[in-house]
Amino acid sequence: MKISVQEGPFDAGAELDAFSHGRHEVGAIVSFTGIVRDRAGGLVRMEIEHYPGMTEKAIAEIAEQAKARWQLADLLVIHRHGALPLGQPIMMVATAAAHRRAAFDAAEYLMDYLKSRAPFWKKEVTRTGEHWVEATPEDEDALSRW
Amino acid sequence: MKISVQEGPFDAGAELDAFSHGRHEVGAIVSFTGIVRDRAGGLVRMEIEHYPGMTEKAIAEIAEQAKARWQLADLLVIHRHGALPLGQPIMMVATAAAHRRAAFDAAEYLMDYLKSRAPFWKKEVTRTGEHWVEATPEDEDALSRW
Amino acid sequence: MIDVVYFAWVRERIGLPRERIETEAATVADLVEELRGREERYAAAFADTSALRVALDQELSEFDADLAGVREVAFFPPMTGG
Amino acid sequence: MIDVVYFAWVRERIGLPRERIETEAATVADLVEELRGREERYAAAFADTSALRVALDQELSEFDADLAGVREVAFFPPMTGG
């Protein structure tokens, strides 16, 4: 199980290959990559703040729950903080399971919980100003699925 | 949109990187990799037969439906045929969308339909014999979600 | 004349991947009946058509479908890709 | 003595990321009341606690939670990771 909270970039393809390498016990690997997107137009960069210490603990807890619930062979969580330019990967999760449904569900669970329960905050810096991204009711509603 | 039905191996990480590169319009990329797994014990290799001509048409149709339904920015399907050793990637799908829910749902849809509607048949060759993998009622039931 | 192709265990039971058949069969079911009457290996392959799928000119179809204008009929078990 | 930390727009409104506070507050709500009374920037940051989340010693908690034994209180808006 790899969990990394980091300022530097990562290579999603290399991470996926390392995560998948030599697996004989799993049939299904799912990955999710979140990318800095220009939602409103004019985005210059995304700034991600986090709560060092709590972040790692919160992610580890979410990861342990996913691992136990779907009997995952393995999982991966990488989340960046700091200033990220447009088009850059923000974060990634990967799950390895015997069957595809477990791998998909666990990856969605990780994403839903990371979004609303891990202490990260996103600020969008555009050509005309900057503002904190607001959590939506859908983010919270997503948790009720689980 | 990349669709490939091929005998040779592929590198899931390199495919994911190529698929993700330079995307400014999407926030979410999901990938699925299916791997040859030793289900019963004693697996020597998996042999995948397909129906050349129909395979490509069936996959293209499934892909077009997913692309339209979830307004995907892009998608990728790679499926191998021939003899595959244990631990090797059999196939891969990837989806790119503005939001994570669309990317996840479209990837699951692609998998569910590729499994039951694209003309591939798997034979497991074990140390004690060989047998064709049977479709399960769950495979067909999975389609009713959509 | 129609091309008939077989996959997976249907191919193995019949013992060949493809053949060209002279037939007057109007529907897939008629063709299956005709093939069943040929030899034991065909009877074995087509014993239970609920375990089989059929494609006409590379499109999934049904056993009651019409064969008029069809050039290629394929018989195979349910798919197991992915 | 308790460490109070702020994140995102809470940090920006109050104008500092962390401070050490001498307090007798029994609950998070008591502490919020005390901070509100300090200066306008605190009143602004804590105007609507339904828009805020609180963590005690790095675990998510509630505004009616007890502060006994707590070393670090964090205030921040709902998370927006992922």
Side-chain angles (χ1 to χ4, degrees), chain A:
Chain A
M1 187 154 88
K2 171 176 175 173
I3 294 178
S4 174
V5 179
Q6 63 188 56
E7 189 153 5
F10 64 90
D11 177 333
E15 294 291 341
L16 179 62
D17 274 343
F19 183 75
S20 309
H21 189 70
R23 297 217 175 273
H24 292 186
E25 80 287 23
V26 309
I29 289 174
V30 168
S31 82
F32 176 92
T33 316
I35 291 176
V36 178
R37 182 170 72 97
D38 192 1
R39 295 194 305 168
L43 189 85
V44 178
R45 66 175 182 278
M46 181 87 90
E47 287 177 4
I48 301 180
E49 184 170 333
H50 81 118
Y51 186 172
M54 179 170 167
T55 309
E56 292 77 1
K57 283 200 287 185
I59 295 177
E61 221 167 272
I62 294 164
E64 285 299 344
Q65 271 163 22
K67 192 156 192 250
R69 179 158 169 185
W70 285 281
Q71 301 180 291
L72 301 179
D74 200 1
L75 68 79
L76 162 87
V77 178
I78 300 171
H79 205 304
R80 295 181 65 189
H81 57 89
L84 283 87
L86 193 61
Q88 278 257 322
I90 302 170
M91 53 87 63
M92 174 176 184
V93 307
T95 55
H99 299 286
R100 73 184 188 286
R101 195 65 185 270
F104 272 117
D105 284 353
E108 287 206 71
Y109 174 96
L110 285 171
M111 286 308 304
D112 286 349
Y113 273 85
L114 287 171
K115 192 147 207 90
S116 303
R117 291 291 181 271
F120 290 100
W121 300 274
K122 288 198 190 96
K123 180 192 266 184
E124 289 177 339
V125 180
T126 70
R127 280 195 287 272
T128 54
E130 53 178 60
H131 63 273
W132 292 97
V133 173
E134 281 187 55
T136 67
E138 292 78 46
D139 293 339
E140 197 63 33
D141 291 350
L143 303 187
S144 66
R145 280 204 283 165
W146 311 112

Side-chain angles (χ1 to χ4, degrees), chain B:
Chain B
M1 185 155 90
K2 172 176 175 173
I3 294 179
S4 173
V5 179
Q6 63 187 57
E7 188 154 4
F10 64 89
D11 178 332
E15 295 291 342
L16 179 63
D17 274 344
F19 183 76
S20 309
H21 188 70
R23 298 217 175 273
H24 292 187
E25 80 288 22
V26 308
I29 290 173
V30 167
S31 81
F32 176 92
T33 316
I35 290 176
V36 178
R37 183 170 71 98
D38 192 0
R39 295 194 306 168
L43 188 84
V44 176
R45 67 176 181 277
M46 181 88 89
E47 287 177 4
I48 300 181
E49 183 168 334
H50 81 119
Y51 186 172
M54 178 172 169
T55 310
E56 292 77 2
K57 283 201 285 184
I59 295 177
E61 221 167 273
I62 294 165
E64 285 299 344
Q65 271 165 20
K67 193 156 191 250
R69 177 157 170 186
W70 283 280
Q71 301 182 292
L72 300 179
D74 201 2
L75 67 78
L76 162 87
V77 177
I78 300 171
H79 204 304
R80 295 181 66 188
H81 57 90
L84 284 87
L86 193 61
Q88 278 257 324
I90 302 171
M91 54 87 63
M92 174 177 184
V93 307
T95 55
H99 299 285
R100 73 184 189 285
R101 195 65 186 268
F104 272 117
D105 283 354
E108 286 204 72
Y109 175 96
L110 286 171
M111 287 307 306
D112 286 349
Y113 273 84
L114 288 172
K115 190 148 208 92
S116 303
R117 291 292 181 272
F120 291 101
W121 300 274
K122 288 198 189 98
K123 179 192 263 185
E124 290 177 339
V125 181
T126 69
R127 281 194 288 272
T128 53
E130 53 179 61
H131 63 274
W132 292 96
V133 172
E134 281 187 55
T136 67
E138 292 78 44
D139 293 340
E140 198 62 32
D141 291 350
L143 302 186
S144 66
R145 279 204 284 166
W146 311 110

Side-chain angles (χ1 to χ4, degrees), chain C residues 1-4 19-24 69-72:
Chain C
M1 292 291 280
I2 201 161
D3 285 315
V4 186
E19 59 187 319
R20 185 154 256 228
I21 288 176
E22 183 80 58
T23 179
E24 305 280 299
V70 170
R71 285 158 307 168
E72 185 174 284

